Each structure stands twice: as C-alpha cells, then as structure tokens.
Amino acid sequence: MRSGDRADAERMLARPHSSAAASPAVDRPFAPVAEGRRGTRSGAVLVTLLALAAAVGALGALVAGAAIEGWYAAAPKPMFTPPDAVFGPVWAGLSALIAIAGWLLWRAPDSPARSHGLRLYAAHLVLHALWMPAFFGLGALLGAPGLWAALVLIVVLDIVILATMIRAGDISRLAAALLLPAWFWSLYATTLNAAIAVLAS
C-alpha cells in the first residue's frame, strides 16, 4: 500500500472516534454539570422549579375545583374518563418529574442545545399552566366552543413537550425520560378533551 493510501485509511478509521468524543451527552444518561451550577445554588434552583411546578398545578386545581362540581359533573363524558380524585395526585407526580427534568437541563454546560431546550421547556410550562384553566374555565363560560379552544391549546402542548424531549435527549437522556410520563398524560388528556368537546357539540 502506498504511503498516501495508508494515511487516508488511518484518517477514516480515526473519524468515528473523534465523532463520538464530540457528543458525549448522547452516550450517557447524565449531562455533565457546569461549573457554578452545583452545591447550594443547584439546590435552590431545584426547589424553585419544584415550587413553580406546584404553583402551576395549584392554579389548575383552583380553576378546576368549582368546574368539577359544576358543568363538568353534568357534562356527557366518554367511558375512559378517570375518576375525579385521580387528577390531583397525577398532576402532582408529573409536576415533580417535570421540575427535575428542567433542573437537569439547567445544570448542563452552556451550549446551543441547552439554550434551545430551556426555551422549549419554558414554553411547555406556560402551556401546561394555561390548559386546565382553558379547559375548565372556557368550558364553563362558552360550552363546546371553549372546549374546542382548549383542545387546540393542548395539541400545541403535546407538540412542544415532544420537541422538548427531543432536544433534552441531546443533553441528558434522563431529562428526556422524565418528561415522557407528562407527554403520555398530555396525549391522554388531549383524547379526553376531544371526546368531551364532541359530546358537548
């Protein structure tokens, strides 16, 4: 083999190793922790995210409370509707997982993927906070048109959660996995929202 051919072959063999080294976050579930995002500050951010997630759930529960005993109780619902008592514990558990996922994204070193992931995460939190007031509040005020408006909102939420999981997977597979139950529940809530809207029309 000529020396030039041998050098080309060595470069081709070395290329996959350099590619793997360039994307370590994909190969392990935990993203590396950035300097300055550890210790007390890290704990404070986790507590803040948990409190924020709890506040989002409390806002939804506040709006839903009166509606569940009012128009929602009398509204025709599909057979797969869960008992009312299920909503509170499920949202509480999902909120904790969502908060931990956001904390893992925040701890990662600065990168375009992290910045994009955090923006998607913030958008998901806003949509998450808006859907329950939209569903129960607009359902009470507008009836079927309000339920259809809430359906549009939760479909957008489904898409944003999926996009957040995909981007989070570039940083920490654990963060992406923690968002998976929230996505499944959101898809279930979407189906429930759609069925109730159809029955109310």
Side-chain angles (χ1 to χ4, degrees), residues 63-90:
V63 176
I68 285 177
E69 297 179 359
W71 75 265
Y72 182 79
K77 293 181 281 294
M79 67 177 75
F80 55 84
T81 302
D84 297 341
V86 168
F87 286 102
V90 167

Side-chain angles (χ1 to χ4, degrees), residues 43-53 99:
V45 169
L46 177 58
V47 170
T48 300
L49 287 172
L50 287 168
L52 180 61

